[in-house]
Amino acid sequence: MTDLTALGATRLAAGYAARDFSPVEVALAVLDRAEAAQAAVNAFVSVDRAGALAGARASELRWERGEPLGPLDGVPVTVKDILLQRGGPTRRGSAAVPAGEGPWEEDAPAVARLRESGAVFAGKTTTPEFGWKGVTDSPLSGVTGNPYDASRTAGGSSGGSAAAVALGAGPLSLGTDGGGSVRIPASFCGIFALKPTYGRVPLYPASAFGTLAHVGPMTRDAADAALLMDVIARPDARDWSQLAPVTRSFRNALVAGAARVRGLRIAYSPALWPGVPVAPAVAAAVRGAVDRLAELGAEVAEADPPLPPVEELREAFHVLWFSGAARVTQHLDGAAVAALDPGLAEVRERGARYGALDYLAAVDVRMAAGRAMGGFHERFDVLVTPTLPLTAFGAGREVPEGSGMARWTEWTPFTYPFNMTQQPAASLPCGVDGDGLPVGLQLVAARHADAAVLRVAHALYEAGVAAVPAPPVPPVPGAVRPGGS
């Protein structure tokens, strides 16, 4: 019997059209898996069984009439609890946002586009408080574990979404990425995630972290991400900084076979900057994927982009990011501040001490990085790096134990630079380490070249590079098992 939770969005839509299975059957399977994922790794803030089944029944009737609203009609999707979703609270991982703060009557743009397309909303996924860090734990919802080892972190800040997709609790999820927040958990959890060019997917309300913040798809592969992008990259008047409408389908950009990469100029940077330590298993897996790209006909050269020094870039990011943390919590009173994640409280205080000149100096560094990458992409179509220099570490910690690090930005040197430059960047799995934990590879292209990232990623999936073992399937809570209950 087909495991419906293992099917991607493209296959589900084809199955609905052929009457192989129904949206209700899929929703029931996904909801059971969501409850299992919640029990195993704490991936969800809420699972909406009633709402999802109502949506699935409506979709089933449309498919029976031959009138689906689009290719995602009846496809289960989850939403990170940073994005507004009509009908329920969006608490952003914080007890400072009361559940009754509503009324909750608006959808974020990407959520609205999915609703218009008939997608089935299965639940809201976990996030650290206000999405501030690269792991997922919060005073509100606790710690989210890794699907491959629940004692390890799922990464963040879209950790709940990554864990849900990896465990079959819906093939699609919406995440947000201000410094790596879809790519970090994708790397740790063995899935695909795309941070599109800034403004390509409209965002509302505007993020307190400003133009660092992106909305992006989290999926099982690049083909599903392209399908999701065709839906969520549509205009929304509430975002004044959105880009002009796309003129070509992302899905259609996935041309056939090795032609996807033949002749592409690919730069391979093992560590972005000389001397940045990368775990040997990570380096070997990424190198193997790069070799495969060369075999597929890409023109590969080892080259580091001329970015500002890593310490300078990190400090500039801190000014921008910590200022955002101060802004998003500015309205809180003493009791609410005392209840914040301690790390968030620390960076909030630091961010509040920056002045306008500090902020503008950080913007200067950001512009220098963008200028450097603009010139780099005149020579190269796509840059390949590790997504992260390590695999998943212990859950409930901001940094690896015994590392001597203070903040999450110290172990994510390859992700946040491309939020500063606003470029499209994706993470896909390219192997596992000695503990069986996924290794992520990052693809980066010039601004507006999102299709190039998806095309190369899809080629790697078709070549088998991204075929990592699936995580163990968690048991459904309350299910009867052989030998007992």
Side-chain angles (χ1 to χ4, degrees), residues 7 42 91 152 157 170 183 216 259 300 327-328 340 345 354 381 413 443:
L7 302 181
N42 188 36
R91 300 188 67 186
R152 312 257 187 152
S157 62
R183 291 161 290 151
V300 178
R327 176 60 177 161
V328 77
L340 289 175
Y354 292 128
D381 299 303
L443 300 169

Side-chain angles (χ1 to χ4, degrees), residues 9-10 71-72 172 192-194 201 216-234 246 248-255 260 450-455 457-458 461:
T10 304
L72 295 184
L172 309 176
F192 181 82
L194 171 69
V201 177
M218 305 182 74
T219 61
R220 305 240 180 82
D221 58 32
D224 271 5
L227 181 63
L228 183 50
M229 282 291 290
D230 280 343
V231 172
I232 65 175
R234 297 172 186 167
V246 294
R248 184 184 182 192
S249 164
F250 290 102
R251 191 179 181 192
N252 291 344
L254 304 182
V255 296
R260 291 189 185 90
D450 305 67
V453 170
L454 289 166
R455 190 164 65 248
H458 191 46
Y461 273 95

Side-chain angles (χ1 to χ4, degrees), residues 210-395:
T211 58
L212 294 170
H214 305 58
V215 177
M218 305 182 74
T219 61
R220 305 240 180 82
D221 58 32
D224 271 5
L227 181 63
L228 183 50
M229 282 291 290
D230 280 343
V231 172
I232 65 175
R234 297 172 186 167
D236 192 293
R238 294 172 293 175
D239 184 354
W240 66 270
S241 64
Q242 66 184 312
L243 297 178
V246 294
T247 57
R248 184 184 182 192
S249 164
F250 290 102
R251 191 179 181 192
N252 291 344
L254 304 182
V255 296
R260 291 189 185 90
V261 297
R262 187 175 296 121
L264 279 182
R265 302 165 300 167
I266 293 182
Y268 165 49
S269 177
L272 270 188
W273 295 273
V276 173
V278 176
V282 172
V286 174
R287 177 78 233 194
V290 170
D291 290 344
R292 187 71 179 110
L293 286 172
E295 292 169 3
L296 293 172
E299 299 174 5
V300 178
E302 189 166 321
D304 296 329
L307 289 164
V310 61
E311 296 83 2
E312 181 181 357
L313 199 61
R314 182 186 298 128
E315 182 53 35
F317 179 79
H318 283 172
V319 173
L320 302 172
W321 193 253
F322 297 170
S323 296
R327 176 60 177 161
V328 77
T329 58
Q330 185 179 24
H331 65 289
L332 300 181
D333 60 20
V337 171
L340 289 175
D341 177 329
L344 175 58
E346 289 176 12
V347 302
R348 171 188 187 270
E349 291 180 6
R350 184 170 165 185
R353 293 195 295 268
Y354 292 128
L357 292 179
D358 298 313
Y359 197 92
L360 291 173
V363 170
D364 285 343
V365 176
R366 182 180 190 180
M367 289 192 291
R371 184 169 61 252
M373 291 307 302
F376 188 75
H377 283 292
E378 289 184 335
R379 298 167 49 213
F380 297 103
D381 299 303
V382 174
L383 168 67
V384 178
T385 76
T387 307
L388 298 167
L390 74 177
T391 54
F393 52 87

